[in-house]
Amino acid sequence: MWLVMLLRVAVLSWGAVSPEPSRLLPGPSPEWTVRHTLTPGDLRDLQVEPVISSVAMEDNSILMNISWVLRADASIRLLTATKICVTGKSNFQSYSCVRCNYTEAFQTQTRPSGGKWTFSYIGFPVELNTLYFIGAHNIPNADMNGDSPSMSVNFTSPGCLDHVMKYKKKCIEAGSLWDPNITACKKNEEIVEVNFTTSPLGNRYMAFIQSNIVIGMSHVSEQNQGTRTSVLVPVTGESEGAVVQLTPYFHTCGNDCIRRKGIVVRCPQTGAPFPLDNNRSVLSGWIPLLLPALLVATCVLAIGICLKWRHEKIKKTSFPSAMRLPPIKILVVYPSEICFHHTVCYFTEFLQNHCRSEVILDKWQKKKIAEMGPVQWLTTQKKAADKVIFLLSNDVNATCDGTCGKSEGSPRENSQDLFPLAFNLFCSDLRSQTHLHKYLVVYFREADTKDDYNALHVCPMYHLMKDAATFCTELFHVEQHVSVGKRFQACHNRCSSL
């Protein structure tokens, strides 16, 4: 029950716990007088950031989000609460603390999901341009005169132009949400035109043009609030590239409102003659030459497209390639006597390069086989595979060695031959008409199945490379065009005797 309660708290607010109600008591808290043999360690991490409160509290709509991470050690079992104190230093100093009690005792060092225990508290108001010292320590504390572990961080709140602080009531009154969209251009050597959008907070503004010094200024009074307005500012120097500063005078902030800036650029030229007649005469002279060239280019392009289409058609019909079909998964099982490097690897490369197949080999998944066991591994791979191929060959070479693909070591280092096990596991499918299409037999020399594996004769057999094209096409067929009834009876007789 304690774990469910603790998890519910963590989900609701990142593990935030409710602060203890403030109570004025004479002297220190009684728990400070209790001696503890063991006490919890310090915090692992402590972070602070301003956030917008979902419930505005007059001018305290911006609050601190203080989050902390508990250290994952055995002392967490002794932890009952965390105390957080905030000291603010600006024009005046403030100090306040909060104690966050945990609803249940911790029984594990980490959360059930595996992450560290993380909590947060939102409640301390944030003032503008203020330096805060935030300290936190776990409870119960160390004994009197003992070394009490704690963690602290510094946080300096930004001004009204910050993307979070601009929503503070004082900032809004100073014009933090006002976007004047200032544009300024140099009309001539003596005049700069300034355009901006007025604010609903007031109707008086002052426009300054500054280079190294102020070279121009003008008062603006606009009764229509929230509209676009324009003012011409006389200047006494070079104004292109200068800074235009717009100072508002709102009734909510007086002379201490947020000032906005822009850059003076050259005004676009208007009324300039467009040399249309000259361009028309030049174009009319080139038209007789452009038309034949355009006709020739169109013919060449059409011929090229036709040749490319024919080439693709011939290419598609020359070999029944499987590149246009979605890839299929193939599980390949083979007897231990087959040379892995010269036979199995060659066949695997053929499947990947010519039949667009994703091949599953026991040689490549030794770790999974060791973890799952051969029976479970074969069952899982059979379900995942689209086709199961029994690879047979009389090409037994005593001198074969080397590696291929992802395999390492000699070709005969397999700790277990999975072929007999796979045969017995899959034999029941060979008796089913609905599953028989999933199995194929491939051999490189002559088809020579042992007496123990005669049931494989019911499966389609392919001799590579003689039947390569037919084999690739067969891989992508959902249903087999063979006499399934006879194969079913033969397999039933063989599998029943195993």
Side-chain angles (χ1 to χ4, degrees), residues 142-450:
D143 296 333
M144 287 291 191
N145 301 322
D147 183 14
S148 180
S150 63
M151 179 173 288
S152 62
V153 294
N154 297 340
F155 168 68
T156 301
S157 60
C160 285
L161 295 181
D162 180 74
H163 70 286
V164 173
M165 299 300 291
K166 69 180 182 180
Y167 294 102
K168 196 171 179 65
K169 182 179 178 181
K170 184 178 180 181
C171 294
I172 295 175
E173 293 176 348
S176 62
L177 302 182
W178 171 49
D179 181 14
N181 189 20
I182 300 173
T183 60
C185 68
K186 173 184 175 183
K187 294 186 72 69
N188 52 49
E189 297 299 327
E190 299 178 352
I191 297 295
V192 171
E193 182 182 355
V194 179
N195 294 274
F196 64 95
T197 302
T198 60
S199 171
L201 299 176
N203 55 10
R204 293 194 306 115
Y205 307 87
M206 178 73 76
F208 295 90
I209 307 298
Q210 297 175 324
S211 185
N212 294 327
I213 59 175
V214 176
I215 60 176
M217 57 182 295
S218 180
H219 292 274
V220 182
S221 180
E222 178 61 52
Q223 298 300 324
N224 295 325
Q225 298 177 350
T227 60
R228 196 74 178 164
T229 189
S230 177
V231 59
L232 298 178
V233 182
V235 294
T236 58
E238 176 57 45
S239 59
E240 186 175 357
V243 175
V244 54
Q245 177 177 284
L246 188 63
T247 303
Y249 298 95
F250 302 146
H251 65 277
T252 53
C253 52
N255 296 329
D256 193 25
C257 301
I258 298 176
R259 301 177 180 182
R260 306 291 182 166
K261 295 181 179 181
I263 301 296
V264 179
V265 298
R266 186 179 296 273
C267 292
Q269 297 295 326
T270 58
F274 185 72
L276 181 61
D277 295 338
N278 187 32
N279 290 342
R280 277 184 180 176
S281 61
V282 173
L283 183 61
S284 61
W286 280 96
I287 286 179
L289 298 177
L290 289 176
L291 288 178
L294 184 61
L295 182 60
V296 172
T298 304
C299 294
V300 172
L301 181 62
I303 294 173
I305 294 175
C306 182
L307 291 176
K308 183 178 180 180
W309 177 79
R310 290 187 61 189
H311 175 72
E312 291 295 332
K313 184 177 180 181
I314 295 174
K315 183 178 179 181
K316 290 178 181 179
T317 56
S318 60
F319 188 85
S321 174
M323 295 303 290
R324 300 181 301 275
L325 298 174
I328 60 173
K329 287 187 177 181
I330 298 179
L331 172 62
V332 178
V333 291
Y334 53 92
S336 59
E337 62 268 13
I338 288 186
C339 179
F340 184 81
H341 175 58
H342 293 92
T343 304
V344 180
C345 285
Y346 175 81
F347 180 60
T348 301
E349 292 176 0
F350 172 79
L351 291 175
Q352 293 172 337
N353 297 335
H354 299 283
C355 301
R356 198 185 178 199
S357 304
E358 180 181 341
V359 181
I360 304 172
L361 285 178
D362 59 340
K363 192 82 168 176
W364 294 347
Q365 299 191 19
K366 288 184 176 180
K367 184 177 180 180
K368 286 188 177 180
I369 296 177
E371 294 174 351
M372 301 173 60
V375 175
Q376 183 63 33
W377 183 84
L378 282 171
T379 304
T380 302
Q381 300 307 323
K382 186 193 79 168
K383 293 180 180 179
D386 298 300
K387 295 286 186 179
V388 177
I389 295 180
F390 293 94
L391 180 62
L392 306 176
S393 176
N394 288 335
D395 186 15
V396 180
N397 189 350
T399 62
C400 79
D401 58 4
T403 62
C404 91
K406 308 170 189 175
S407 176
E408 296 181 0
S410 71
R412 304 192 184 202
E413 66 177 1
N414 283 331
S415 59
Q416 183 177 1
D417 182 8
L418 298 186
F419 188 85
L421 182 59
F423 175 79
N424 287 301
L425 282 176
F426 305 159
C427 191
S428 60
D429 287 349
L430 302 181
R431 295 181 296 178
S432 172
Q433 298 184 19
T434 58
H435 297 99
L436 184 60
H437 70 276
K438 189 171 185 175
Y439 298 90
L440 303 175
V441 175
V442 173
Y443 59 95
F444 283 88
R445 299 279 175 147
E446 58 180 271
D448 181 19
T449 55
K450 295 182 179 180

Side-chain angles (χ1 to χ4, degrees), residues 27-36 142-144:
S29 174
E31 67 181 354
W32 283 75
T33 61
V34 178
R35 297 187 61 84
H36 302 279
D143 296 333
M144 287 291 191

Side-chain angles (χ1 to χ4, degrees), residues 1-14:
M1 182 64 182
W2 66 269
L3 183 58
V4 175
M5 293 279 294
L6 202 56
L7 282 177
R8 183 183 178 189
V9 171
V11 171
L12 288 179
S13 58
W14 237 43

